[in-house]
Amino acid sequence: MKKFCVLCCISISTWAQNPTQASPYFKSYNDQIILSTYLIDTSNSFEIIDQSSGTPVRLNLNPNRRTQLGAQLSYRFVDISGGISPKFFEVNKDNSGSKFFSINTRLYVQKWMQSFLYIYQRGFYVSYTDREIGFPELASTKIGGSTSYVFNDKFSIRTLANQKQWQTKSAGSFIPSISFYYTNLDLNDDSNNPHSDIYTLSLAPSYYHNLAISQRFLIGLGLAAGAGLTWIDRDCYPLYEFSSNLKIGYNTDRFFTYLTGNSINFIQNEQANVRLNDQVSTVKFALGYRFDPPEKLKTFFDHLNKK
């Protein structure tokens, strides 16, 4: 049970509005129970560039990647998923002792979207030139999120985030976001500087577009570029943010499948003698099915929604 909890990936989404409003540009499935199974790979990697000697020295900190197999249940404002990292996946076989745990939440209030992210991972490989050294005790913790505003009512951001809506006519939107993250890197040893505290604040304008190839096929794209500040152990430096999002999906009123990939990149300005670049990436493949809820469950949620 301890290993299951440590390797578990939990996602909870909530709505502070009724997203079932009719629109000719997207269809809502909020009143149906949605069951799905998925494969997901999430990681937070780092690049350290030491420029103090004049010649840049690069160190790549890559976590022991884990492919997770999970299941998800969604209905109305409840969206919960959990997964494990089974050993029959080749990428998981050499990760003994490493740990990974993440929580993702989203809150929608009319045109506003608030996301929250927590990632803990332990066990890294540090790459330098042609050498790779294992650091099984090196751990990273990231906590933070972003606040976004969707300008276009015809664009469904939920089509990219989940399967409770589906874009039926092509539409896009300008979506500015402000994000804040705290990251801790800990060597877990007895050295004088066993850990570093990193704070990141950025503003990133973005554009997202759902291309409805047909009523059933869709390609969703999103790009963001922005700038901000990072504080590393009390030293402040400028940084750049580049983010991307891709979704390829097939949907009917009952069955759906999709492949998504997204990344968030924070690149530190060259003013710092020691630069720290930060990347969060996720790849997910899912299969799912929708069905009508039992009448008692629907009545209960109707009453809860009024409250």
Side-chain angles (χ1 to χ4, degrees), residues 40-114:
I40 188 171
D41 188 319
T42 302
S43 69
N44 185 192
S45 58
F46 305 90
E47 180 185 44
I48 299 175
I49 306 175
D50 188 348
Q51 304 177 122
S52 58
S53 62
T55 302
V57 177
R58 295 177 180 268
L59 296 175
N60 294 306
L61 281 64
N62 297 309
N64 290 331
R65 303 186 72 93
R66 287 183 175 273
T67 297
Q68 295 183 333
L69 176 65
Q72 184 170 351
L73 170 65
S74 302
Y75 180 63
R76 295 286 184 91
F77 51 83
V78 175
D79 185 358
I80 303 175
S81 66
I84 58 174
S85 301
K87 290 294 184 181
F88 56 76
F89 289 126
E90 188 67 28
V91 70
N92 297 337
K93 290 182 179 180
D94 60 348
N95 288 342
S96 178
S98 62
K99 295 182 179 180
F100 175 83
F101 180 78
S102 73
I103 298 176
N104 294 278
T105 71
R106 292 185 182 93
L107 173 66
Y108 298 90
V109 182
Q110 297 180 4
K111 292 187 175 185
W112 293 92
M113 181 181 75
Q114 176 66 49

Side-chain angles (χ1 to χ4, degrees), residues 226-244:
L229 296 172
T230 181
W231 292 264
I232 302 178
D233 296 332
R234 299 183 180 181
D235 293 325
C236 182
Y237 303 99
L239 64 75
Y240 307 105
E241 177 186 349
F242 299 98
S243 302
S244 61

Side-chain angles (χ1 to χ4, degrees), residues 103 114-119 142-146 179-182:
I103 298 176
Q114 176 66 49
S115 68
F116 172 82
L117 172 68
Y118 172 85
I119 296 178
K142 181 182 293 294
I143 184 171
S146 63
S179 62
F180 177 79
Y181 291 95
Y182 163 74

